[in-house]
Amino acid sequence: MKNICVVFLLWIFTISPFIIQAQSLEKAVDGLILKDFNDKSGPGGVFMIAHHGKPVYQKAFGKANLELGDNLSVDNVFQLGSMTKQFTAVAILLLEQQGKLSIVDTISKYIGGYPNGNKITIHHLLTHTSGIKDFTKMKSLQDIAQKEMTPKMMVDFFKDEPVDFAPGEKFDYNNSGYVLLGYLIELVSGEKYEDYIKKHIFDKVGMSHSYYASDRNVIKGRAYGYHKKEFGYVNKTVISFSVPFSSGSLMSTLSDMLKWQNSLKNNLLLDTAETRKAFSRYKLNNGEEFSYGYGWHIRDINKVPTREHGGSIFGFKTMGVYIPSEDIYVIGLSNCDCHSPTKLTGDMAALALKFLGGGKKDNR
């Protein structure tokens, strides 16, 4: 009996601090989220904190469908917007790993007649340093927003626009570059972009609830997207997903995105050398370093390095933050573009670092 009591006391003093810590983190994160996502009858968001590859916090707030009144679930499927760029960048690195292209190749090697194509490299496209006009800033975008476009048609749409600067001179976030990368994936692999991503990434990682976006296909667990007007919520604007294409047309769930992050950490798809390229900082022509790798912003929280990227597309906003030193992954997906999870996800990551990691306290 005495031994049982000793074991019980040891359990209390060794296990309970972890339980208390988890409860404290949950309470703190709940408080952060409910400041912004507090409309139980409106669209909302889903959030997750994972540590060492497993969720330690995972909750949903708000409605998945306003007409039906369905509550959001952590298993709902969201449009990712520009978080798609992570998958496009890794697909390019997979092709390089297979010896089918090189990131130092110029785009003229694959697309004949592209203006200035002998000076723009795949590296420039990956790092948003190509100087190509971003098609999302073109007034004529509204003319094609709902049309079915081939990748070549999309490239032709912006390729003759005046460049903003010479390749490598500046970092300027650019969706056109990632559309070009998707086109290159198709030209080099001989597969459609959406098929390549499914076969070589989604299927290999086990991301069974991730898709190339569609408003027509029946997608189980879909979260519907909304805008907010002065008079209330309205359904998102309909676009053709062939327009954002490889710069912003993928869909996924919290659990699938964790599988994605774990696959990157464990080099399931890319070897160490290619992975290092994705998460390195690069320099402009003048030697100035900028904080973007291949498909990720390379930043920090209170001097603790992070890999981050968000997304925005009609009806949805998203954000993911990974802290490599502590193996902490934080992600937020919102089904109203009135709610950006960008700052919130960063604040959640700072809390996770405080409660779960060895980093310094972040006061932001």
Side-chain angles (χ1 to χ4, degrees):
M1 186 67 179
K2 185 183 292 185
N3 289 339
I4 293 173
C5 290
V6 170
V7 170
F8 179 71
L9 288 171
L10 285 173
W11 180 84
I12 289 175
F13 287 112
T14 57
I15 302 299
S16 58
F18 294 102
I19 296 173
I20 293 169
Q21 182 186 50
Q23 290 173 338
S24 298
L25 175 61
E26 180 182 17
K27 184 177 180 181
V29 173
D30 282 350
L32 274 179
I33 295 172
L34 288 170
K35 288 179 182 178
D36 295 323
F37 290 78
N38 54 14
D39 184 358
K40 294 181 180 179
S41 62
V46 296
F47 301 88
M48 178 176 67
I49 299 172
H51 193 211
H52 297 313
K54 296 181 179 180
V56 295
Y57 179 97
Q58 199 170 192
K59 286 189 181 182
F61 301 81
K63 300 292 184 183
N65 185 295
L66 300 189
E67 285 117 331
L68 299 176
D70 295 339
N71 290 328
L72 275 169
S73 158
V74 294
D75 297 320
N76 280 131
V77 179
F78 287 73
Q79 291 178 30
L80 294 177
S82 284
M83 289 182 79
T84 296
K85 291 180 173 67
Q86 301 174 8
F87 297 90
T88 300
V90 168
I92 287 289
L93 292 173
L94 277 170
L95 290 170
E96 182 177 60
Q97 188 169 273
Q98 295 162 3
K100 295 180 179 180
L101 57 73
S102 170
I103 55 170
V104 298
D105 289 342
T106 61
I107 60 176
S108 61
K109 181 175 179 179
Y110 305 96
I111 307 172
Y114 193 95
N116 210 32
N118 62 336
K119 295 180 181 178
I120 302 169
T121 65
I122 293 174
H123 168 81
H124 289 135
L125 301 179
L126 287 164
T127 56
H128 304 282
T129 57
S130 69
I132 294 170
K133 177 67 68 178
D134 187 341
F135 73 88
T136 63
K137 298 175 182 177
M138 294 168 58
K139 291 182 179 179
S140 53
L141 176 60
Q142 60 185 357
D143 298 333
I144 66 164
Q146 295 179 332
K147 292 182 179 179
E148 193 62 29
M149 305 285 286
T150 66
K152 183 180 185 303
M153 289 168 67
M154 275 305 303
V155 171
D156 288 344
F157 175 69
F158 58 74
K159 75 175 186 179
D160 293 321
E161 291 290 312
V163 297
D164 292 330
F165 50 86
E169 277 194 1
K170 287 174 60 179
F171 168 85
D172 192 12
Y173 191 84
N174 188 301
N175 291 284
S176 294
Y178 272 76
V179 165
L180 268 165
L181 290 170
Y183 187 34
L184 290 177
I185 289 166
E186 294 200 351
L187 293 174
V188 173
S189 71
E191 301 175 55
K192 289 180 65 177
Y193 171 82
E194 60 187 278
D195 295 336
Y196 188 90
I197 296 297
K198 182 179 187 304
K199 178 181 177 181
H200 299 279
I201 296 181
F202 289 165
D203 288 351
K204 287 194 174 180
V205 173
M207 299 173 68
S208 55
H209 301 289
S210 299
Y211 315 91
Y212 188 89
S214 169
D215 284 330
R216 185 174 179 83
N217 293 344
V218 174
I219 296 174
K220 186 178 180 181
R222 177 202 298 272
Y224 287 78
Y226 298 92
H227 307 297
K228 190 174 185 180
K229 304 292 185 180
E230 290 182 6
F231 53 84
Y233 297 107
V234 297
N235 288 305
K236 72 177 182 68
T237 301
V238 175
I239 62 168
S240 168
F241 293 106
S242 62
V243 174
F245 184 45
S246 48
S247 73
S249 285
L250 298 182
M251 306 176 75
S252 192
T253 64
L254 290 181
S255 59
D256 271 12
M257 289 301 289
L258 179 57
K259 290 178 182 178
W260 167 240
Q261 176 54 51
N262 289 340
S263 75
L264 296 167
K265 177 187 68 176
N266 296 320
N267 298 115
L268 180 63
L269 298 170
L270 297 176
D271 61 28
T272 303
E274 296 295 334
T275 300
R276 189 179 300 116
K277 291 179 182 179
F279 302 124
S280 293
R281 290 175 182 257
Y282 293 98
K283 294 181 179 180
L284 301 173
N285 296 341
N286 63 5
E288 180 184 346
E289 190 176 73
F290 57 97
S291 57
Y292 199 93
Y294 293 166
W296 280 266
H297 294 278
I298 311 302
R299 293 173 174 156
D300 67 86
I301 293 176
N302 201 35
K303 298 183 180 180
V304 179
T306 63
R307 301 165 184 170
E308 309 179 9
H309 215 289
S312 180
I313 194 166
F314 290 134
F316 296 88
K317 291 201 172 183
T318 61
M319 186 66 187
V321 177
Y322 182 60
I323 306 173
S325 62
E326 306 294 342
D327 194 12
I328 293 171
Y329 183 52
V330 184
I331 183 169
L333 308 174
S334 170
N335 67 326
C336 181
D337 51 22
C338 59
H339 287 310
S340 173
T342 300
K343 183 180 185 303
L344 174 57
T345 304
D347 290 343
M348 287 171 60
L351 273 177
L353 192 60
K354 173 185 174 182
F355 282 96
L356 305 174
K360 298 177 183 178
K361 181 178 179 180
D362 191 301
N363 294 315
R364 68 173 172 170

